[in-house]
Amino acid sequence: MLQQPHTKYRAFAPIGLKDRTWPDAVLTRAPIWLSTDLRDGNQALVEPMDIARKMRMFEQLVAIGFKEIEVGFPSASQVEFDFVRKLIEEDRIPDDVTIQVLTQAREPLIARTFESLQGAPRAIVHLYNAVAPIMRTVVLGMDEDEIVALATSHAAMFNDLAARQRHTCWTFQYSPEMFSGTDLAFSKRVVDAVTAVWNASPERKCIINLPSTVEHSTPNIFADMIEWMHRHLARRDGIVLSVHPHNDRGTGTAAGEFALMAGADRIEGCLFGNGERTGNLDLVNVALNLYTQGVWPGLDFSNIDEVRATVEHCNQIAVHPRHPYAGDLVYTSFSGSHQDAIKKAFAARREGDVWDMPYLPIDPKDVGRSYEAVIRVNSQSGKGGMAYLLESEYGIEMPRRLQIEFMQVVQGVMDVAGTELSAANIYALFEREYGLATVQALSNRVLEAQADASVLLRGQLHWEGALVDMQGQGNGPIDAFIQALQEATGHRVRVIDYHQHAIGAGADAKAAAYLELRVDEAQTLFGVGLDADVISAALKAIVSGLERATAQGRQGAQCTVVPA
């Protein structure tokens, strides 16, 4: 790279629009959308779509809700021509959808384009020619007058050919190619000349499409260019003003949104931003950006994973896992502090509340995602993420001190494995650590009230490989069981804290009990019990904690005392 890049590159000059209004504009309605996935997006593919993939993409675009779809460049190849014919001859175009096709300003190509549209009920024919100084002088070898003559003569050809196919409802579109690199006065001159040939009026509107064929400037300058054209074009009331941003500087979405604020009525782009070089404007981004501002975009991405799968199949290009709204990881937090904030906000949220969630600009369920992957656990995660997964997937609502204790177990596994843990992985660890599958209930349990208001508990417990008869008396079942346990095993257990809740409802409901225990005045740790019976769940939790304490004792380890 050059140390003095100004010797090679020139900064894009500002427009100097001192009374610009677009910065204060608020988008309150959706634009007219034009998908160019089947044309601009297709020509950017290493392997362009065959007719089968084109048809799948077309049907997906219709299902999303696009009413204008650029279906091809029929004069460019036989496949493009045949696809347009297939749509028309097989009556594949819904009554509320208009197809669009593109042609250069060359007579044979225009004639072939109109030929491809024979019998179409409605069609937009899109004419373009280059207008930028570099194209005029270096590529085309034309002066300004010759460029205007080129545009107007071919625009007139549109009038003649359309008149021969009167059963089609025609709309004409013109793009001054490389508008983003052309002085505004000349862009206006060319466009005004074309709209004059087409006699644009409120009753017979044409589309003027202003492309950032190459994104040269910051998006605010592009917006100034659009506002300038919006103000100064002749026959503005007969024009649908369209923009076609590219993404060479990585600001295509911003340029598109600013252009709509600056007076554009219509926007062209591709799903997930496919297109030449760095891509076209991403229509999914713009549509869902509007949605998150409370504006119905008119495009339905309720099943965004299905849309993404279609695009990946047709384009043979993967959508990045961090792609806004659609990527695999865009609703996922690994960070402990993020997870804690999300978990607390979900707990506080009530049905019907305005969506105001940390780190989630959109409700994943609105685009067909579940909350399953909102929080995922790796070595960067905290106790909140782990607790959220167990609660959302398995109904386990751990008290805070249990979260701290169990997170040490999770982190121990993460330090060794170094990979992400799923909810199922974490539950398996939880189940193993607290003996949920191995701790058995007190069998043949008998609970009798005594005259002094105490209770007598009798039963049998599997302890260290043997079935032990137990009996104890206390002020309740838990106290009586602890007395019996001490008599039978020699271990002294004291309950420090006790939490219980239901998992599920109806006949399949279970009780979950979490008891913080002090064992032999040496170890403080939790036991966990699950059972359909509330008392059994609590007793299982005591055995769970005692078994953990004795196992750690055999290993010569002391359970960490959890700070308050």
Side-chain angles (χ1 to χ4, degrees):
M1 293 178 67
L2 302 175
Q3 295 298 310
Q4 302 292 331
H6 67 272
T7 62
K8 185 174 183 178
Y9 298 99
R10 182 175 61 235
F12 200 94
I15 303 306
L17 194 66
K18 302 304 182 185
D19 57 345
R20 63 180 63 85
T21 61
W22 67 262
D24 293 323
V26 176
L27 298 177
T28 58
R29 59 183 177 85
I32 300 167
W33 305 100
L34 182 282
S35 161
T36 187
D37 289 89
L38 290 163
R39 198 279 301 171
D40 202 349
N42 186 51
Q43 73 185 43
L45 301 178
V46 174
E47 181 183 332
M49 289 179 254
D50 57 20
I51 286 183
R53 294 208 309 273
K54 273 179 164 281
M55 189 61 71
R56 179 174 173 181
M57 178 69 84
F58 178 78
E59 290 173 350
Q60 181 68 77
L61 294 168
V62 170
I64 290 168
F66 285 95
K67 304 306 179 187
E68 296 183 2
I69 302 172
E70 192 168 54
V71 295
F73 199 148
S75 64
S77 73
Q78 191 63 44
V79 170
E80 296 284 286
F81 186 94
D82 289 346
F83 180 65
V84 176
R85 294 308 309 155
K86 184 178 181 70
L87 289 174
I88 296 168
E89 292 170 4
E90 296 181 5
D91 196 22
R92 301 273 192 146
I93 307 165
D95 292 341
D96 60 347
V97 172
T98 302
I99 60 171
Q100 175 172 307
V101 293
L102 179 74
T103 179
Q104 290 171 298
R106 293 170 56 189
E107 289 188 12
L109 303 186
I110 294 172
R112 179 70 167 164
T113 300
F114 274 85
E115 179 187 350
S116 75
L117 293 168
Q118 287 280 350
R122 297 160 307 282
I124 301 169
V125 192
H126 182 184
L127 174 70
Y128 77 95
N129 64 276
V131 296
I134 185 67
M135 297 295 288
R136 295 197 308 257
T137 57
V138 176
V139 178
L140 299 176
M142 292 182 172
D143 61 22
E144 291 186 356
D145 291 342
E146 289 172 315
I147 292 293
V148 172
L150 176 72
T152 54
S153 62
H154 291 91
M157 188 178 178
F158 272 40
N159 290 337
D160 295 339
L161 291 173
R164 301 174 193 175
Q165 296 175 219
R166 296 187 179 278
H167 295 295
T168 299
C169 179
W170 297 104
T171 300
F172 298 157
Q173 175 172 326
Y174 175 69
S175 289
E177 189 190 13
M178 297 190 71
F179 164 80
S180 52
T182 306
D183 58 288
L184 290 172
F186 183 62
S187 291
K188 169 180 160 53
R189 180 186 171 194
V190 177
V191 169
D192 285 350
V194 170
T195 60
V197 170
W198 286 341
N199 194 26
S201 67
E203 296 74 35
R204 191 170 182 268
K205 288 190 176 186
C206 67
I207 301 168
I208 296 300
N209 186 56
L210 304 177
S212 58
T213 309
V214 178
E215 189 179 38
H216 291 295
S217 67
T218 52
N220 61 299
I221 291 179
F222 185 67
D224 279 352
M225 296 175 72
I226 299 303
E227 182 164 342
W228 190 94
M229 293 289 281
H230 169 59
R231 292 187 194 179
H232 291 93
L233 284 177
R235 291 167 285 280
R236 178 65 182 90
D237 60 356
I239 292 171
V240 175
L241 190 60
S242 179
V243 290
H244 182 112
H246 277 251
N247 199 43
D248 298 270
R249 293 171 56 92
T251 58
T253 296
E257 291 179 329
F258 284 4
L260 293 175
M261 294 161 63
D265 309 302
R266 180 179 184 266
I267 197 161
E268 298 190 351
C270 292
L271 299 175
F272 310 121
N274 181 45
E276 293 280 13
R277 304 181 307 280
T278 57
N280 290 352
L281 169 102
D282 184 343
L283 295 176
V284 179
N285 276 12
V286 178
L288 290 178
N289 285 353
L290 283 172
Y291 182 78
T292 61
Q293 300 301 301
V295 178
W296 170 240
L299 302 178
D300 188 355
F301 294 106
S302 295
N303 191 342
I304 203 164
D305 289 339
E306 178 185 298
V307 175
R308 186 186 67 186
T310 297
V311 172
E312 288 180 331
H313 169 78
C314 295
N315 290 347
Q316 301 183 72
I317 298 173
V319 173
H320 195 279
R322 299 290 183 188
H323 194 101
Y325 299 113
D328 278 334
L329 298 176
V330 295
Y331 304 112
T332 300
S333 287
F334 290 104
S335 160
S337 60
H338 290 196
Q339 292 173 346
D340 183 62
I342 292 170
K343 179 176 181 291
K344 290 175 179 175
F346 267 123
R349 178 172 167 75
R350 297 293 176 264
E351 188 66 31
D353 287 354
V354 170
W355 186 258
D356 186 15
M357 296 289 289
Y359 309 112
L360 291 172
I362 190 174
D363 186 345
K365 287 192 173 181
D366 287 357
V367 290
R369 292 284 185 87
S370 70
Y371 294 139
E372 179 179 357
V374 168
I375 289 177
R376 290 161 64 173
V377 172
N378 65 9
S379 59
Q380 301 299 308
S381 305
K383 62 185 183 299
M386 170 272 298
Y388 173 84
L389 289 180
L390 288 182
E391 181 176 345
S392 61
E393 296 299 310
Y394 297 97
I396 301 296
E397 300 175 13
M398 291 187 290
R400 179 177 178 276
R401 289 161 64 82
L402 175 56
Q403 292 178 29
I404 296 170
E405 179 187 278
F406 181 56
M407 192 60 200
Q408 295 176 31
V409 177
V410 174
Q411 286 290 355
V413 172
M414 290 300 316
D415 290 343
V416 174
T419 57
E420 180 191 348
L421 294 182
S422 67
N425 297 146
I426 296 169
Y427 184 76
L429 278 177
F430 187 74
E431 186 178 52
R432 184 184 69 190
E433 179 67 20
Y434 295 98
L436 301 185
T438 58
V439 170
Q440 298 183 23
L442 189 65
S443 59
N444 300 316
R445 187 180 79 200
V446 176
L447 193 62
E448 298 176 347
Q450 303 299 297
D452 61 357
S454 66
V455 296
L456 179 68
L457 178 70
R458 294 196 305 271
Q460 294 176 307
L461 179 71
H462 283 274
W463 179 256
E464 296 186 338
L467 190 62
V468 179
D469 291 321
M470 301 182 63
Q471 179 172 306
Q473 187 170 341
N475 59 19
I478 291 176
D479 187 36
F481 183 64
I482 286 173
Q483 302 306 320
L485 200 59
Q486 182 172 340
E487 182 70 25
T489 67
H491 291 287
R492 183 184 176 193
V493 178
R494 180 161 54 91
V495 176
I496 296 175
D497 202 6
Y498 175 34
H499 297 267
Q500 194 171 55
H501 67 83
I503 299 176
D508 296 327
K510 284 187 176 181
Y514 315 99
L515 274 73
E516 188 174 16
L517 307 172
R518 184 72 174 165
V519 179
D520 297 329
E521 296 302 326
Q523 301 178 68
T524 299
L525 76 178
F526 274 86
V528 178
L530 301 180
D531 198 277
D533 176 71
V534 173
I535 294 175
S536 292
L539 304 188
K540 280 184 176 182
I542 295 169
V543 177
S544 163
L546 183 57
E547 286 188 350
R548 294 182 66 228
T550 55
Q552 291 171 5
R554 285 192 295 270
Q555 295 168 3
Q558 292 290 312
C559 183
T560 303
V561 176
V562 180

